[in-house]
Amino acid sequence: MASGASQQDSQTAEEIPSFLDAFLHDFPAPLSPNSPLPWKVPGMVLSQEEVEGEMAELAMGFLGSRNAPPLLAASLAHEAVSRLLQMDLSEFRKLLKQEDEDGDEEEKAPVTLLDAAGLARSLFNQLWEVCSQQQVQEHEPVEAQVLQLPWLVSVHAVRNARRRMEDRHVCLPAFNQLFGLSDSVDRAYFAVFDGHGGVDAARYASVHVHANAARQPELPTDPAAALRAAFRCTDEMFLRKAKRERLQSGTTGVCALIAGSTLHVAWLGDSQVLLVQQGQVVKLMDPHRPERQDEKDRIEALGGFVSHVDCWRVNGTLAVSRAIGDVFQKPYVSGEADAASRELTGSEDYLLLACDGFFDVVPHQEVAGLVQSHLVGQQGSGQRVAEELVAAARERGSHDNITVMVVFLRDPRDLLEGGAQGAGLSEPETPAAPRS
């Protein structure tokens, strides 16, 4: 569900039959039991609570790789996953003996999981049926609608000097279509996850946080609370998986849900989101770091400690005080997200979401100038602005994984009309020491 370097969400009615024709030409029939799967299966088994998110990720990744129009991809994926979830999934059941070293009797009981490969095969056949039925419809499909806002999103992510890439990001303008939300509020979701100790937690969060948010009953009335609940639920789900599969990784995360004219952000750890409005940086959040007095007090009240080992760390290990995962550092490393909301007036320029590999070396107040300079040089084209921001972080000495996502809230060409602008934050910031 991650986007490429940039994305403009629009589609025409002509693109839809063209895509369907090509798909059904390449796959003239459903998969047989022995046919190879056209996608990589997400592990050996899935819990029931993981099925919707994982199958939606599979379908969206596959449709995106075939250049399906974004709204069509989201609508087809939703219909296929919905049909799969309505099936009797007992044929995919597997019983695993849970061996939990902490002596939890409930966890030692057999755990019912589902065969991931079998689910993936069934999902593809549901998708094939949906595409076949869509092709023969004589009326213009509903998916030919256009999103209320033509999102321009620039994303760039690099491994940099690290041995492996542990960041993940999500760009989902068609949030409503993917989850079948039919109310009048248009929603778009964007997120960056910065993994540590492996990529498992970051990958898991990039699949499940938005799926869990869509399931929260308070999403229509209190989206910020829904995002907090989604982070909490994802953390609990991943901890269960980590115990089953002996995973030790964790991830920070930051997400932005734009619902109608309101921006909602939620975060764990030190990945950050900032808003630029008429060239001025608007602070939306405080990252969770062990040296924050409230975080230090919380950790010590639980019996943990914060110490300085090249930077401030929880129990001498982690440089963040909240994260999804990190099973052996719970509850000191909390899975409880913070959230904030802000009404949008139409004068906002863009959002920037990034991991600490960017923010550790680029102060907030310099972001607007860097973006403005890029737009001037590119005659108002913002498609590659994230690339330039990543390059700036590398030039300033970042050796960490770097992911930067810029979500334009109005046409970047309009940002040139006022010329170079942006005095930055009212209080100066200095780059923090690199953290890991």
Side-chain angles (χ1 to χ4, degrees):
M1 217 156 294
S3 85
S6 65
Q7 179 170 337
Q8 177 80 37
D9 280 284
S10 61
Q11 65 189 65
T12 65
E14 290 76 18
E15 289 180 282
I16 294 174
S18 173
F19 168 79
L20 294 172
D21 289 345
F23 174 81
L24 294 169
H25 175 270
D26 293 342
F27 299 96
L31 296 179
S32 69
N34 298 319
S35 301
L37 289 169
W39 46 41
K40 184 179 179 181
V41 178
M44 298 290 292
V45 292
L46 297 174
S47 66
Q48 181 76 44
E49 63 189 352
E50 294 170 333
V51 173
E52 181 179 13
E54 295 289 352
M55 294 298 105
E57 174 74 5
L58 264 187
M60 287 292 284
F62 172 75
L63 293 168
S65 72
R66 296 184 62 87
N67 299 314
L71 284 176
L72 177 67
S75 298
L76 293 175
H78 168 70
E79 184 62 26
V81 172
S82 296
R83 293 186 183 192
L84 177 69
L85 293 175
Q86 290 166 15
M87 293 172 53
D88 179 3
L89 302 182
S90 60
E91 64 176 288
F92 304 114
R93 290 174 60 186
K94 287 190 170 186
L95 281 179
L96 297 182
K97 183 180 179 182
Q98 183 76 27
E99 297 178 359
D100 193 318
E101 296 178 358
D102 65 8
D104 189 328
E105 291 301 324
E106 181 181 348
E107 290 291 339
K108 285 186 176 182
V111 176
T112 301
L113 298 171
L114 303 173
D115 173 49
L119 287 167
R121 184 177 302 277
S122 182
L123 173 69
F124 182 87
N125 289 342
Q126 293 294 339
L127 184 60
W128 187 91
E129 291 286 349
V130 172
C131 289
S132 298
Q133 292 170 10
Q134 184 70 77
Q135 188 192 43
V136 300
Q137 286 182 359
E138 295 180 356
H139 57 81
E140 181 180 339
V142 231
E143 293 81 10
Q145 63 183 301
V146 177
L147 289 171
Q148 292 180 22
L149 290 175
W151 296 102
L152 173 63
V153 183
S154 176
V155 189
H156 194 58
V158 296
R159 177 173 58 86
N160 209 8
R162 290 296 178 93
R163 289 189 302 111
R164 54 191 173 183
M165 180 56 164
E166 295 177 336
D167 290 357
R168 291 293 184 268
H169 61 271
V170 183
C171 178
L172 185 58
F175 184 92
N176 285 359
Q177 288 77 10
L178 182 58
F179 297 108
L181 303 179
S182 56
D183 59 14
S184 60
V185 179
D186 196 40
R187 296 179 182 87
Y189 171 89
F190 310 95
V192 168
F193 298 97
D194 180 2
H196 48 262
V199 76
D200 296 291
R203 187 253 167 212
Y204 197 89
S206 72
V207 170
H208 291 286
V209 170
H210 56 283
N212 284 326
R215 286 196 292 263
Q216 299 305 314
E218 63 266 42
L219 179 66
T221 56
D222 191 348
L227 291 175
R228 287 195 301 269
F231 270 95
R232 184 186 313 116
C233 181
T234 303
D235 184 44
E236 293 167 353
M237 288 166 58
F238 183 73
L239 291 178
R240 288 191 283 271
K241 178 183 175 70
K243 290 178 181 179
R244 288 196 306 268
E245 301 181 13
R246 303 184 185 280
L247 305 175
Q248 300 182 30
S249 62
T251 185
T252 68
V254 61
C255 69
L257 177 70
I258 301 174
S261 61
T262 308
L263 166 67
H264 308 277
V265 298
W267 68 95
L268 284 171
D270 56 6
S271 293
Q272 298 182 56
V273 56
L274 59 82
L275 172 69
V276 174
Q277 182 176 27
Q278 296 183 320
Q280 302 294 316
V281 174
V282 178
K283 185 177 180 181
L284 297 174
M285 55 163 286
D286 285 314
H288 299 120
R289 290 174 173 153
E291 62 267 33
R292 250 179 60 173
Q293 191 59 50
D294 57 342
E295 290 295 278
K296 184 174 183 290
D297 292 346
R298 178 185 61 78
I299 292 162
E300 291 176 346
L302 291 168
F305 64 92
V306 173
S307 61
H308 196 275
V309 184
D310 71 51
C311 68
W312 291 101
R313 297 179 182 272
V314 179
N315 297 332
T317 57
L318 289 179
V320 294
S321 56
R322 300 197 192 191
I324 287 172
D326 295 309
V327 61
F328 296 116
Q329 289 293 337
K330 289 291 193 270
Y332 314 109
V333 174
S334 171
E336 289 291 325
D338 277 331
S341 301
R342 180 185 180 89
E343 286 299 317
L344 299 176
T345 65
S347 62
E348 294 80 10
D349 302 339
Y350 51 86
L351 290 171
L352 185 143
L353 297 85
C355 61
D356 67 327
F358 176 78
F359 281 117
D360 279 350
V361 297
V362 179
H364 286 188
Q365 74 269 15
E366 294 186 18
V367 167
L370 290 170
V371 173
Q372 186 73 18
S373 175
H374 174 85
L375 293 178
V376 169
Q378 297 296 318
Q379 292 79 50
S381 172
Q383 292 187 353
R384 300 185 67 177
V385 66
E387 227 175 292
E388 188 154 318
L389 292 172
V390 168
R394 297 181 73 178
E395 289 168 5
R396 296 173 187 219
S398 177
H399 299 290
D400 200 356
N401 298 156
I402 307 174
T403 298
V404 173
M405 178 185 295
V406 180
V407 182
F408 285 97
L409 301 176
R410 54 193 179 111
D411 192 323
R413 291 171 296 185
D414 295 343
L415 308 187
L416 297 180
E417 294 178 359
Q421 50 184 326
L425 296 168
S426 55
E427 297 180 4
E429 293 186 357
T430 55
R435 308 162 69 88
S436 59

